[in-house]
Amino acid sequence: MRLPPHGFRMRIASITLLLLAPAFLCAADSLDTKPLPGILLDNTAAQLMGPWQPSVHSKPYIGEGYVHSGVPGREEATVSKTITFRQKLPTSGKYGVYLAYNANSNRAASAPVEIQHADGDAKLKVNQRQAPKGPALFHPLGEFNFDTDKEAVVAISDKDAQGIVIVDAILFVPSNEIAKLDAVGKKLTAKKPEAKPAKKEEPKQQVAPAFVRAKDIDARLLTSEELDQLIDREAHLTETTDTVDDETFLRRITIDVIGRIPTEQERKDFLADTNPAKRSLLIDRLLESPEFGTNWGAYWSDVFSYRIPQPELTFLDYQIFQDWMAQQMNEGVGWDEITYRILTATGKVGNNPPAFFVGFHQASTSRLAGETTRIFLGTQIQCAECHDHPFVDIPQERFHQMAAFFVRTNAKLPWNDSGEIEVGSKEAGEHKMPDTNKTMMPAVFAGDQLEKGVSDVDRRVTLANWVVSPDNSLFAKAYVNRTWERLMDQPFCDPVDEISEEAGFPSLPSVHDAVAGHFIANEYDAKPLFRLILNTKAYQRQLDSSDKVVGQLASAELRKMRGDVVFKNLETAIELPNVKGEQMKPTAEMRFPPPPKSTKDIVNDVFGYDPSLGKQFRPQTMQQAMFLMNNRQLQDQVKAGEDQKTKLAKLLNETPDDRQAIQRLYVNVLGRAPADKELDIAYEFVQEGASRNEAFEDLLWALLNTAEFTTRK
C-alpha cells in the first residue's frame, strides 16, 4: 500500500487531532485541550528521527501520551534523535509558539529547539527541569512571524541536552489570541470520568521543601601532597614501593573511575603523551566523562540493592535509580543533597527516582531504620531491633526511635512494575516497641524526641537534615570510608559500613578526619574527593608483592572487579553484545513471570557481590569459571574465521604479523602489553598451531580466563 506524501499526512494528523471527540482528549490522564485557541500538534503528528520512546508515566499529558529521548545509560539514549513539527498556518502574521512537556529533576537542562519562521531561524534552549511558564504543560518559546505559503517548522533534538528531553505537543497561537490562552489556562485540567461516582477528595500529598545546605566554616581543603605527607606520618611507613608505570596507572585508574579497561587507542594516546602533568590531566578527563557517573551509579546501586529483598508480585528494576544517580554524580550534586532527596522523596519511583529507597523497602520501618544508619552514617544498629546491642553501646530504644521516623510512610506496590511503586504518607500512627507496646517518638542518637502528631514528611525532613548536617561527623566519614575502600581496597574502618567509635578501633583516624573535612569543604561533591585521592603517591604506588613494606596504606591493593565492570571489560575486549532475553509468557502457575535477563544481567549475577562485605566475601567461584569457559555468546565472540565479524577476526585481518597481533590482543583483553617472556611463549604457541585462527582463538580464550582479566591491580 502506497502512503500519501509526508506533508499531507502531517496536515491530516493535525486536523484530526483538533477534531477528535472529547472522549479521547479528555481521558482521565490527558488534558482537555478543547478550549485551547490556535493550532495544536500532538507528538503523533511529528516526524521522528531516532529511537524516541513513547511514555505515559508522568501525568497529565496531551492525547495518548508523549515521547522522550531515552533514559541516560540506556542504549536508545546514546543515539542522536530529532522530532520535527511542520504546519502551514491559516493566516500570515505573528504567532506565539508553545512547547508542551512535563518537568522533573531528570529532564533536560538544555533541550535544543529550532524554529523556522518568516524572518529566519530561532535557536533556543529549554530547561525542562523547571515547570513550563505558560498555562498547564505549555512553555512559551516566543512570538514569531509566519507566512501561509511556507510551513512553520519546530524541531527539538537531544544533542547536548543534559538530561531526558520530553516532547508532548506544539501549540501555535495567533498573537491576538494569546490573552485568551492565558484566560483558559485554569481550565486545562484532566476531566474526571463521568461514569464513576465522585470520590472523597484525598488530602494533598505533602512534599519536602527544597534542600538547603548548611555551611561548615571549619572544613579545610587538602592537597594531594599534604595527604601523602599525612599518610607517611600517621601510618609510620618505613619503606614504600615505587610508583607504577604509565601503562599500569592507566589501567588502574580507568577501571576505578569509569569502570572498564582502557581501549587500545586510549592506551596508545596516553603512552605517547609527553606532558609531565598527563596523569593529573587524565584524572580530570575521566572524572568529566559520563562513564564516571554510570560506573559509580552502579556501585551505589549495589550498595542499596544487596540488602533490599524482592517483594511479591513485582520485580525491582534499579536502572531508574542508577541513571538518576549517574546524572547527579556527573553534575557534581553534593552527597548531602542526594541523601536528603532519597530520605524525603515522595511520589512514583518512575517520576521521582530517589523514592526507590523507601519504595523498594516497601516503607518497612525496621529495614529503613537499619539501612539509613548503615549506608549514610556507617553505623549498624539493626542488631538492637529486638534487644540491646550485644557488643556496643546501642540500646534497643535507639533503634525504635529511628524507626519512628518512618512509621507514617506508606508505599503502594503495583503488579510487576517497580517504576509505579508510589511513596506517600499516612495521616496518623505512632511506632510501638515490640513486647512492651511502648510508644516511641522519633529521635536521633541521644537527641530530643519529636512531639506526637508530626507528619510523615516533616519527620523525614528532620531526620534527613540531621543525617547530612556538618555537625554529624559520621555522614561525611561514612562516604569517605567507602570511597577510600574502593580506590585503595582497604578502608579506614572495617567493615566498611561500621565506622562508629563504639564498634572498634579505626585505622588512621586523623587521615580519615582530614579527608572527610576536604569532602565537606567541597560541598560533598564526589569529584574533588576522587581528584584528591587519585593524585596521591599512595594511590599510584606499585603493589607490595614482596610484602616488605611495614605500615598501613603503603599502596593500593588488588581488588576483584564488580559484575558490571566485568561486563564492560568484555564489551571492550571482545565486543560482547548485550543481548536481551525473551519474556516468558504468563501461565496459570506463574501469573507474573520474571523479566528476561540480558547478557549484562547474567554477568552481574555471576560476578557481582555485595560491596559492603569484605574481601573474604569476593571469592573466585566455579560459576565464574564456567561462564568464561562455556558461555555461548562469549564463545561466539572468540571466533576468528574469515566469515566472522568479531573483534578478533578484524584484529587478525588488520595485523598479519603474529607478534604484533599478540601484543594487540594482550592490550585489548588485559589493558597492557605482554612481557617479553609472555610474548615469546604466546608466539611459540601460535607458530606450532595447525591454524592461525584457531591458535589465536585459544590464546584469546586463555587470556579471558586469567585471574588478571577480572582483577584490578
Side-chain angles (χ1 to χ4, degrees):
M1 177 179 177
R2 184 178 180 183
L3 294 175
H6 173 72
F8 177 81
R9 298 199 310 272
M10 293 285 291
R11 288 190 287 274
I12 291 297
S14 60
I15 294 171
T16 302
L17 175 64
L18 290 172
L19 298 178
L20 282 173
F24 173 76
L25 286 178
C26 301
D29 296 323
S30 64
L31 288 178
D32 179 5
T33 57
K34 191 175 181 180
L36 284 173
I39 296 178
L40 178 69
L41 302 179
D42 194 13
N43 58 274
T44 55
Q47 179 183 10
L48 304 180
M49 294 185 63
W52 289 92
Q53 304 296 303
S55 180
V56 292
H57 258 302
S58 297
K59 303 174 180 64
Y61 43 74
I62 292 167
E64 293 185 313
Y66 54 92
V67 294
H68 65 81
S69 59
V71 178
R74 296 186 180 178
E75 184 177 354
E76 62 268 12
T78 64
V79 181
S80 177
K81 53 189 74 66
T82 304
I83 179 170
T84 305
F85 296 83
R86 301 176 183 275
Q87 178 68 34
K88 282 192 175 182
L89 301 177
T91 60
S92 298
K94 183 169 288 189
Y95 287 76
V97 183
Y98 296 79
L99 168 64
Y101 67 87
N102 51 68
N104 208 324
S105 61
N106 65 350
R107 305 300 193 234
S110 186
V113 180
E114 183 173 355
I115 302 172
Q116 296 179 16
H117 51 90
D119 301 323
D121 292 352
K123 295 183 179 180
L124 315 168
K125 299 284 188 180
V126 178
N127 183 357
Q128 295 191 325
R129 298 177 189 176
Q130 298 178 355
K133 295 181 179 179
L137 302 176
F138 292 95
H139 181 77
L141 301 176
E143 294 185 40
F144 306 93
N145 286 314
F146 295 98
D147 292 335
T148 57
D149 58 349
K150 189 175 181 181
E151 286 184 326
V153 180
V154 180
I156 303 100
S157 75
D158 65 342
K159 183 178 180 181
D160 300 325
Q162 303 173 43
I164 303 173
V165 178
I166 303 292
V167 181
D168 197 343
I170 289 292
L171 178 66
F172 295 93
V173 181
S175 179
N176 60 358
E177 294 188 44
I178 291 178
K180 179 181 177 182
L181 172 64
D182 295 335
V184 302
K186 294 181 180 180
K187 298 180 181 179
L188 295 177
T189 55
K191 185 177 179 181
K192 295 182 175 64
E194 298 177 359
K196 296 181 180 180
K199 293 182 179 180
K200 181 181 178 181
E201 186 176 351
E202 296 182 1
K204 187 176 181 180
Q205 175 65 54
Q206 186 182 3
V207 178
F211 173 73
V212 178
R213 176 173 291 116
K215 297 291 185 180
D216 188 335
I217 59 175
D218 296 325
R220 178 179 177 271
L221 294 171
L222 271 179
T223 65
S224 298
E225 292 76 13
E226 290 172 333
L227 179 54
D228 271 322
Q229 294 169 7
L230 187 58
I231 292 172
D232 290 347
R233 183 171 64 250
E234 298 299 322
H236 305 294
L237 296 178
T238 59
E239 184 181 352
T240 61
T241 59
D242 294 331
T243 302
V244 296
D245 58 34
D246 283 345
E247 185 176 59
T248 305
F249 172 78
L250 174 65
R251 183 181 191 271
R252 178 185 295 180
I253 200 167
T254 306
I255 291 171
D256 281 346
V257 179
I258 64 175
R260 61 168 174 80
I261 57 175
T263 65
E264 187 176 6
Q265 188 62 47
E266 288 169 342
R267 175 184 176 274
K268 181 179 179 180
D269 292 343
F270 184 69
L271 296 184
D273 190 350
T274 59
N275 190 329
K278 69 178 184 179
R279 292 195 179 191
S280 294
L281 294 173
L282 173 63
I283 291 169
D284 290 341
R285 287 198 301 273
L286 292 176
L287 289 175
E288 291 306 314
S289 166
E291 292 180 274
F292 166 69
T294 302
N295 176 38
W296 282 85
Y299 165 77
W300 282 106
S301 178
D302 284 349
V303 170
F304 287 100
S305 65
Y306 270 89
R307 306 294 174 90
I308 297 180
Q310 286 283 349
E312 296 181 3
L313 301 180
T314 192
F315 298 92
L316 301 180
D317 180 3
Y318 286 88
Q319 194 62 51
I320 293 173
F321 167 69
Q322 287 184 31
D323 296 337
W324 176 79
M325 189 66 184
Q327 181 181 358
Q328 307 310 298
M329 297 196 74
N330 283 332
E331 294 178 359
V333 178
W335 178 240
D336 54 346
E337 182 174 351
I338 293 171
T339 300
Y340 176 88
R341 294 183 62 189
I342 289 174
L343 292 177
T344 63
T346 56
K348 290 185 178 180
V349 173
N351 297 333
N352 191 20
F356 90 99
F357 180 61
V358 173
F360 284 12
H361 274 297
Q362 303 176 65
S364 167
T365 55
S366 59
R367 294 209 302 263
L368 289 171
E371 287 296 273
T372 296
T373 56
R374 184 184 73 85
I375 293 174
F376 300 113
L377 301 178
T379 304
Q380 299 191 34
I381 67 170
Q382 59 269 29
C383 286
E385 180 177 2
C386 303
H387 47 72
D388 292 348
H389 199 294
F391 305 118
V392 297
D393 184 21
I394 300 179
Q396 186 181 9
E397 286 80 4
R398 181 180 296 182
F399 177 92
H400 291 282
Q401 287 173 331
M402 185 64 65
F405 281 104
F406 299 99
V407 72
R408 295 191 177 188
T409 310
N410 183 48
K412 297 179 181 178
L413 270 67
W415 287 354
N416 223 22
D417 187 352
S418 60
E420 289 292 310
I421 292 177
E422 185 170 5
V423 176
S425 303
K426 304 172 188 174
E427 291 188 35
E430 299 297 348
H431 185 68
K432 306 287 185 180
M433 280 273 286
D435 300 329
T436 66
N437 212 34
K438 176 183 176 182
T439 298
M440 300 300 297
M441 298 308 300
V444 297
F445 295 0
D448 295 334
Q449 296 183 4
L450 296 184
E451 297 179 356
K452 287 186 178 181
V454 176
S455 71
D456 164 54
V457 172
D458 285 344
R459 292 179 190 225
R460 290 195 277 145
V461 167
T462 299
L463 173 63
N465 283 329
W466 173 77
V467 167
V468 306
S469 169
D471 295 331
N472 186 354
S473 62
L474 292 174
F475 177 66
K477 290 173 67 175
Y479 190 96
V480 165
N481 195 48
R482 284 187 173 277
T483 304
W484 193 274
E485 188 271 340
R486 294 309 301 171
L487 299 180
M488 305 296 286
D489 203 41
Q490 43 184 330
F492 292 112
C493 302
D494 193 7
V496 72
D497 50 10
E498 185 57 280
I499 68 171
S500 61
E501 293 181 1
E502 296 127 324
F505 302 95
S507 63
L508 306 182
S510 58
V511 179
H512 194 178
D513 289 342
V515 178
H518 180 84
F519 184 46
I520 296 171
N522 281 286
E523 297 186 334
Y524 303 90
D525 183 353
K527 291 183 181 180
L529 174 63
F530 275 75
R531 191 172 289 110
L532 170 72
I533 299 171
L534 297 174
N535 277 292
T536 62
K537 293 179 180 178
Y539 174 82
Q540 298 183 26
R541 290 186 186 125
Q542 296 176 4
L543 302 178
D544 184 20
S545 56
S546 63
D547 200 26
K548 293 182 179 179
V549 175
V550 177
Q552 298 170 308
L553 303 180
S555 69
E557 294 186 1
L558 287 166
R559 188 182 69 244
K560 182 183 174 186
M561 297 179 192
R562 300 192 319 271
D564 58 291
V565 178
V566 174
F567 176 76
K568 285 187 177 180
N569 285 346
L570 288 168
E571 277 189 318
T572 304
I574 60 173
E575 297 179 345
L576 182 70
N578 186 25
V579 178
K580 296 181 180 179
E582 293 185 7
Q583 176 67 56
M584 294 172 56
K585 293 183 178 180
T587 64
E589 294 77 17
M590 188 181 294
R591 294 177 57 197
F592 301 103
K597 289 191 175 183
S598 65
T599 311
K600 181 179 179 180
D601 295 330
I602 295 171
V603 174
N604 267 325
D605 288 345
V606 173
F607 291 92
Y609 57 84
D610 185 343
S612 299
L613 298 178
K615 302 174 188 177
Q616 66 272 29
F617 297 98
R618 306 171 193 171
Q620 299 282 354
T621 67
M622 181 59 68
Q623 186 183 17
Q624 295 166 7
M626 295 302 292
F627 176 87
L628 291 172
M629 288 191 293
N630 299 324
N631 178 266
R632 186 176 63 183
Q633 284 180 237
L634 188 147
Q635 294 301 318
D636 287 343
Q637 295 304 114
V638 173
K639 295 177 181 178
E642 294 181 359
D643 58 337
Q644 303 294 324
K645 297 182 180 180
T646 64
K647 190 170 184 177
L648 177 60
K650 297 174 189 174
L651 185 151
L652 294 180
N653 185 55
E654 296 168 355
T655 317
D657 183 272
D658 285 346
R659 285 187 176 272
Q660 291 181 6
I662 292 168
Q663 289 175 323
R664 288 190 63 194
L665 190 61
Y666 264 79
V667 169
N668 276 278
V669 178
L670 300 181
R672 65 170 179 85
D676 291 342
K677 186 175 181 180
E678 291 175 315
L679 179 58
D680 291 340
I681 293 173
Y683 181 74
E684 182 179 351
F685 173 78
V686 170
Q687 297 307 303
E688 291 177 351
S691 162
R692 182 179 191 242
N693 288 344
E694 291 182 1
F696 271 95
E697 288 175 359
D698 291 341
L699 179 58
L700 171 56
W701 182 86
L703 292 177
L704 292 173
N705 281 274
T706 61
E708 182 177 354
F709 181 70
T710 57
T711 303
R712 188 285 243 156
K713 64 177 184 176

